[in-house]
Amino acid sequence: MQQRMLANSDWLRATPSVFSDTILELARMREFAPGQAIYQLGDPAGGIYGVVSGAVQITLDGGDEGMLPGHVATPGAWFGEGSIFALQERMVGASAIRNTRLAHVSQSDIEALTARNPAAWRWFGLLGVINLGIAITGGSDLLLRRPRDRCIAVLLRMAGCRFRGTGAHEAAVSHADLASLSNLSRSVV
């Protein structure tokens, strides 16, 4: 069932079946407790992750403000692709919000796959484009002037409603997290 859910993710659904089948074969399940770091800003490259269950807080470097929440990844989302392209340290952090199960494809497996089939880089690039779209949408959400509209936009983005079409969607977030993601006070939220 987990394999089927991941195969139907926005990313793998848009790739050839031979590629998506290979990714699912390479994936190893990992469990994370609430608050546990998956990786931190500055960690070495370490592959990609797909959310099977739970939720993952993606955090950004806010300079003097410290780490700031940027997005919440829910089941079906894949993330972590940024560091696989340049083999540089992680530019964001990721931690479990609640008990979370992730599919992990290691950096070495990605490198072996792309060595055998260099065209596979196109499909990892597609994941980058999907997540860039989410990041751009996140920035535009913060430009909305009315707090109510901003909160609604953040919830729609987090639940994947703008990218995953119809059906059930989930946005697992606390009032405090929603306030932070919306750049509002908790009382306003």
Side-chain angles (χ1 to χ4, degrees), residues 41-59:
L41 176 76
D43 280 356
I48 60 172
Y49 295 86
V51 183
V52 175
S53 64
V56 175
Q57 173 76 65
I58 306 297
T59 54

Side-chain angles (χ1 to χ4, degrees), residues 13-37:
R13 195 175 61 239
T15 66
S17 60
V18 67
F19 176 83
S20 61
D21 291 347
T22 301
I23 291 296
L24 295 174
E25 288 171 15
L26 294 172
R28 300 293 172 255
M29 294 300 153
R30 296 184 59 192
E31 306 279 338
F32 294 86
Q36 185 178 359

